[in-house]
Amino acid sequence: MRRIILPLLSAASLALAGCNSSSDNAQQAAAPAPTSVSGTVSLRDPSIQVSPNAKLDVNLVDVSRQGSSPIATKSFQPVTLPQQYKLDFDAAAVNANDIYVVQATMVDGDRTFDMPLQAPVLTKGKPATADIALQAKATAGEKELAGFKDLQKRIGGLKVSNGTQLQEGVSRGWQVFRSGADIVFIRELVDYGDKGFTSTDYAYKNGKVWVAEQQKKPSKDGKATSTERAAWNDNGELVLKTNDAGSKTSSLGEDEAANLKKQGESILAKGKGGK
């Protein structure tokens, strides 16, 4: 009897194992398709502070179909970083052969934060979650200022001429730097006696004031009490206006920026006149 029972038990075990395997496969095949993607949005540089006016947009996009509308989208304002998000969608809208990504963009005043890396989800073996780290992009003003700083470093290789002017209570001197026949940079030093001293660098493009950076001091050899900066793009739009005083940076008023531009135009006229 034992010789008969043992084979029967083995056959029954194999049959049962086969049933379990079929059951597991059926359960896997019946697993519901995702109906949402979720995760967090943070900043690569966590030291950056965003204002209450910052706005974050998170979208689920089918990048296989260029120009198509996002499958799901959500906006956050104000933004609390790291910001949790969840994008709900109809599972029937997802094509297993397409490629889907989560796209996030945040705007805070003049600054934009975007994704240096894509965040694929859902298909091609990708999960239904994505944690995103945004990177700050340089503002229009910062780009102009970077170009100005580069020019400052190169003025030693430019042709230079000098000028001076004495007025009642004011002593003025300047250096004019040319690239070919064009004035591209002027450094102006103005001594107002007991009223203080200014050192100002002006940069020019196409004969127009491009960037102005003015240090205000109690005297020529004194430490700067403030540094005002203003920059204009190729369309003449004011894109940078800052005032550094000590460790504090604030916005320079538009009237003060306009005054810097006026000073730059005035000294440019003196430079062209060779005075």
Side-chain angles (χ1 to χ4, degrees):
M1 292 294 291
R2 289 180 181 175
R3 292 180 181 178
I4 297 174
I5 292 172
L6 288 175
L8 288 174
L9 289 174
S10 298
S13 298
L14 290 173
L16 181 60
C19 290
N20 288 339
S21 177
S22 299
S23 176
D24 291 342
N25 290 335
Q27 289 178 0
Q28 291 177 2
T35 58
S36 68
V37 293
S38 60
T40 61
V41 178
S42 59
L43 297 182
R44 279 197 163 188
D45 183 354
S47 67
I48 297 177
Q49 300 293 318
V50 298
S51 76
N53 296 322
K55 183 182 179 184
L56 171 66
D57 293 314
V58 185
N59 300 314
L60 175 62
V61 179
D62 183 351
V63 294
S64 302
R65 302 177 186 276
Q66 296 295 326
S68 62
S69 300
I71 295 173
T73 183
K74 186 168 287 188
S75 296
F76 301 89
Q77 189 178 32
V79 181
T80 303
L81 297 173
Q83 179 69 63
Q84 294 185 341
Y85 72 88
K86 182 181 179 184
L87 301 176
D88 297 315
F89 57 89
D90 182 358
V94 175
N95 186 330
N97 295 318
D98 288 354
I99 299 174
Y100 297 85
V101 300
V102 176
Q103 294 178 342
T105 303
M106 184 168 67
V107 177
D108 188 10
D110 294 333
R111 189 174 305 283
T112 299
F113 299 80
D114 63 8
M115 298 171 58
L117 299 173
Q118 285 195 334
V121 290
L122 297 178
T123 58
K124 312 294 183 181
K126 301 301 180 182
T129 60
D131 292 332
I132 296 166
L134 298 178
Q135 182 171 286
K137 296 178 66 176
T139 66
E142 288 170 342
K143 292 177 182 178
E144 302 296 351
L145 186 60
F148 169 75
K149 293 296 185 183
D150 180 65
L151 177 59
Q152 271 184 323
K153 296 176 183 177
R154 296 188 288 105
I155 61 173
L158 301 177
K159 182 180 177 181
V160 61
S161 59
N162 300 281
T164 59
Q165 184 181 58
L166 292 176
Q167 297 174 310
E168 185 176 353
V170 180
S171 175
R172 192 184 305 270
W174 59 86
Q175 291 179 302
V176 178
F177 299 85
R178 288 179 169 84
S179 177
D182 298 328
I183 295 175
V184 294
F185 196 92
I186 296 178
R187 176 163 291 162
E188 181 185 33
L189 306 177
V190 185
D191 191 342
Y192 296 96
D194 58 4
K195 294 183 180 180
F197 186 94
T198 62
S199 173
T200 313
D201 285 351
Y202 302 98
Y204 301 88
K205 279 185 179 180
N206 301 318
K208 297 180 179 180
V209 181
W210 166 34
V211 180
E213 181 180 71
Q214 183 172 90
Q215 290 186 338
K216 293 183 178 179
K217 308 177 181 182
S219 63
K220 179 180 178 181
D221 298 322
K223 185 178 180 180
T225 56
S226 69
T227 302
E228 297 179 352
R229 296 183 182 91
W232 295 264
N233 63 18
D234 292 342
N235 296 323
E237 299 167 332
L238 180 63
V239 293
L240 177 71
K241 46 178 183 175
T242 63
N243 181 23
D244 295 342
S247 60
K248 182 180 179 182
T249 298
S250 59
S251 179
L252 183 68
E254 293 198 7
D255 289 343
E256 286 82 358
N259 187 48
L260 280 177
K261 188 173 187 179
K262 185 176 180 180
Q263 293 176 38
E265 292 168 344
S266 177
I267 195 65
L268 177 63
K270 289 181 172 66
K272 287 181 176 179
K275 298 180 181 180

